[in-house]
Amino acid sequence: QVQLVESGGGLVQAGGSLRLSCAASGSIFSINAMGWYRQAPGNQRDLVAAITSRGSANYADSVKGRFTISRDNAKNTVYLQMNSLKPEDTAVYYCNADLRTGWHSPWSDYWGQGTQVTVSS
């Protein structure tokens, strides 16, 4: 069984910063890409940032220059440093990992439970 546990969400004023963390644990053989998605009420879940196991990252245009994704492969953990936060960044943020649980297992997507980020104006 695999678990992704997020932490670091909360309430912050516009212009402030937050750092999200997501640790993957359980029967993990290998992790490929890890990423962060967000979903605001009434909206679909959208990619915020993703990073490969080798450290190659990509970002949504709306967060480029403000957010930084990183990962610690030894700890199976991915981070999202969010600076210059705006009210439109308010959403539930979900961690995602593309991983497999064994040598012959397929690559599958796993999700965290989500953490709320609220940015006040």
Side-chain angles (χ1 to χ4, degrees):
Q1 192 170 359
V2 174
Q3 279 191 317
L4 273 64
V5 179
E6 300 122 333
S7 61
L11 173 64
V12 65
Q13 287 188 332
S17 299
L18 284 174
R19 187 186 193 221
L20 305 182
S21 299
C22 171
S25 63
S27 302
I28 297 171
F29 178 78
S30 180
I31 302 178
N32 188 10
M34 300 185 79
W36 291 94
Y37 289 71
R38 67 186 181 187
Q39 186 170 20
N43 291 355
Q44 64 182 18
R45 189 175 297 186
D46 292 324
L47 175 69
V48 176
I51 186 167
T52 68
S53 58
R54 296 191 176 188
S56 178
N58 66 284
Y59 299 89
D61 288 343
S62 59
V63 305
K64 283 181 181 177
R66 300 188 297 121
F67 290 10
T68 302
I69 190 170
S70 60
R71 66 189 280 176
D72 184 332
N73 290 333
K75 296 181 179 179
N76 290 338
T77 299
V78 63
Y79 306 95
L80 186 68
Q81 178 66 43
M82 304 185 294
N83 299 328
S84 302
L85 282 160
K86 304 175 181 180
E88 51 263 43
D89 294 318
T90 295
V92 177
Y93 284 69
Y94 295 91
C95 173
N96 171 269
D98 178 33
L99 62 86
R100 52 179 178 168
T101 57
W103 178 255
H104 297 291
S105 300
W107 294 97
S108 299
D109 270 339
Y110 289 82
W111 294 90
Q113 79 285 357
T115 185
Q116 177 71 45
V117 171
T118 302
V119 184
S120 63
S121 57

